[in-house]
Amino acid sequence: MPKTPLYQRFFADLKRRKVFRVMGVYGAIAFGLIQVVDIVLPRLGLPDWTVTFVVWLCVLGFPAAVVLAWAYERTPEGLRLTDEAGAEELDSIVAESAGKRWSSGMLALLGIVAMVTGAWWAGRSTAMGTADGPSPTGDAGSVLLRAYIDLSEDLRPAIAVLPFTDLSQAGDQRYFADGMSEELLNALAKVRGLRVAGRTSSFAFRNAEKDLREIGSELGVRYLVEGSLRKQGDRLRITAQLVDAGDNFHIWSETYDRTLDDVFAVQEELARAISDQLQVSLGLEGGGVLVAPTADIQAYDLYLRAKALIRERGAGVLEAVTLLKEVVARDSMWAPGWAVLGQAHSLVAKRALALDPRVATANVALGNAYRDRWNWDRAEGHYVRALEIDPDDVEAHQQYSELLAGTGRMDEALRSARRAAALDPTSAIRLNGLGWALHLNARNAEAVHYFELSIQHSPELAMTHHSLSVIKLALVT
């Protein structure tokens, strides 16, 4: 009888010592833990390094768990050193069917993939939150120091973007010209080496019959950007110039004749040209972007129209909500559209509450707005008020559960999630919410039941299948 190859005996011993099982379970638990800390710790106001610390603990603990699983076994009397295997024992494992032999290995592989994916995602989100260029003073200290520095001590070049003039033949493109000005202002505001005056102050000088030196003095800036826009069909002509407000000297000017599809590229070119003239780094070495584009130019046009309506406040905000819903329907992955839609909803909610403070849905909407800004107390106040008005408001229970989970109050989060699912028992969203609340309370067997129930009602939801696979891995013993 041929001798069993050494590598097969080694893998058989790994299975016998339950090393594969430990690898799979450890990876699944590490994935879940990393997801929780990545959400919860920043919302508790803890610095980003705390998330990184937990991630490294999970990663470095993996080889230690593997070594312990190899060396020790659990018995009714407690842990003890694992006995060496007999030749026949290993041969019998090798002789098992492929399904039995490879199931443990696949479990281990899935665990490793889950842990690495969780670590990569947490590292990516942390990097996105912290990556930037050097501080303007050259100091490597906290970026927050710049937020509170006295402006007289801020040595960065100060600049303001004045509203671009609409030169379109019909004179109906002011919203687009304003949008271009504001998008350029936002792009320059991302450059850490510049101090950019606020939009409201800059736009107050629209059509002002004042010398640029006066405008610069009132805004407290050295440099001004002014320009014009002509839009005809799908063609754009944008002219911009950079002026030294100290002496009215025109430092730079450029005209861009492009199509609408190039509007985002022009915005970034403008920002680059201005930063080059002022000898300031854009700070994009880490791969960031100044302008977040959408591939749907019609969605962008609707977005600019909606922003113009929001600036006017009043009844136009309702129309803005309608336009922004179309924006996110056309491009559901474009973050600016969702961000402004959230702003519009909060304005509508505030208006609704001003008219009638007893509207539960308006309290929920405002609670969401405050929660997403991490203003926990005000958010909770609105959720509680909504439930006082309507104790059976499903959305209030669901959103309140997410806030409670985000602030570490897991048992209360589970209570609210249970109530939401009880009130709306066939909703995949409510069942998913209950599943995750159970998972966060270490009740994975129950969580599996609700995720499976969610799949029965909405089998097309990919996130439910992913959640279920992760939690099933954590259940394997």
Side-chain angles (χ1 to χ4, degrees), residues 157-162 188 210-217 219 221-227 239-254 273-274 277-278:
I159 190 169
V161 179
L162 302 180
L188 293 174
K210 288 189 176 183
D211 185 86
L212 292 180
R213 285 172 291 194
E214 292 181 69
I215 295 175
S217 176
L219 290 173
V221 300
R222 170 75 181 275
Y223 303 100
L224 296 171
V225 178
E226 58 178 0
T239 300
Q241 52 191 3
L242 177 65
V243 180
D244 187 331
D247 55 11
N248 269 351
F249 178 73
H250 284 58
I251 300 172
W252 164 88
S253 66
E254 186 64 75
I274 292 167
Q277 292 296 324
L278 300 181

Side-chain angles (χ1 to χ4, degrees), residues 6-270:
L6 185 60
Y7 77 90
Q8 289 188 352
R9 296 173 63 83
F10 173 68
F11 284 116
D13 210 8
L14 287 175
K15 181 178 179 181
R16 182 184 72 89
R17 294 170 182 263
K18 297 182 174 58
V19 174
F20 287 138
R21 182 180 299 174
V22 169
M23 292 168 69
V25 173
Y26 185 100
I29 294 175
F31 175 84
L33 177 61
I34 290 170
Q35 296 303 301
V36 172
V37 301
D38 190 36
I39 295 171
V40 173
L41 295 190
R43 293 191 174 190
L44 294 178
L46 297 177
D48 288 335
W49 67 261
T50 57
V51 176
T52 305
F53 178 73
V54 174
V55 170
W56 276 109
L57 277 182
C58 291
V59 173
L60 296 177
F62 183 76
V66 171
V67 170
L68 290 173
W70 173 272
Y72 293 92
E73 64 177 334
R74 187 173 59 187
T75 69
E77 293 76 30
L79 290 178
R80 66 179 181 84
L81 288 172
T82 305
D83 295 330
E84 292 296 327
E88 297 79 6
E89 187 178 4
L90 295 181
D91 289 340
S92 66
I93 295 175
V94 173
E96 291 177 344
S97 65
K100 287 186 177 181
R101 283 188 288 112
W102 286 102
S103 60
S104 296
M106 290 303 298
L107 174 65
L109 180 61
L110 286 173
I112 294 172
V113 169
M115 181 180 67
V116 171
T117 300
W120 171 81
W121 181 260
R124 177 178 177 273
S125 59
T126 302
M128 287 174 64
T130 58
D132 52 58
S135 68
T137 60
D139 193 313
S142 171
V143 175
L144 281 177
L145 291 176
R146 182 171 57 252
Y148 299 103
I149 191 172
D150 189 289
L151 292 184
S152 64
E153 300 175 5
D154 192 337
L155 303 182
R156 293 176 297 167
I159 190 169
V161 179
L162 302 180
F164 281 24
T165 303
D166 173 25
L167 297 181
S168 300
Q169 188 172 8
D172 59 350
Q173 297 297 312
R174 174 172 156 175
Y175 75 93
F176 203 97
D178 283 358
M180 280 292 299
S181 309
E182 188 171 359
E183 294 296 297
L184 176 59
L185 184 154
N186 292 336
L188 293 174
K190 295 177 183 177
V191 179
R192 292 294 175 88
L194 290 176
R195 178 170 65 82
V196 183
R199 179 203 171 281
T200 303
S201 296
S202 298
F203 277 44
F205 290 94
R206 183 194 307 275
N207 301 324
E209 296 182 0
K210 288 189 176 183
D211 185 86
L212 292 180
R213 285 172 291 194
E214 292 181 69
I215 295 175
S217 176
E218 291 189 37
L219 290 173
V221 300
R222 170 75 181 275
Y223 303 100
L224 296 171
V225 178
E226 58 178 0
S228 62
L229 176 143
R230 182 187 297 274
K231 180 170 174 280
Q232 185 172 358
D234 67 342
R235 300 296 305 180
L236 284 176
R237 167 168 285 192
I238 300 168
T239 300
Q241 52 191 3
L242 177 65
V243 180
D244 187 331
D247 55 11
N248 269 351
F249 178 73
H250 284 58
I251 300 172
W252 164 88
S253 66
E254 186 64 75
T255 297
Y256 301 86
D257 285 302
R258 303 289 177 83
T259 65
L260 276 174
D261 291 338
D262 295 324
V263 64
F264 300 106
V266 172
Q267 291 170 11
E268 187 149 322
E269 285 181 44
L270 281 167

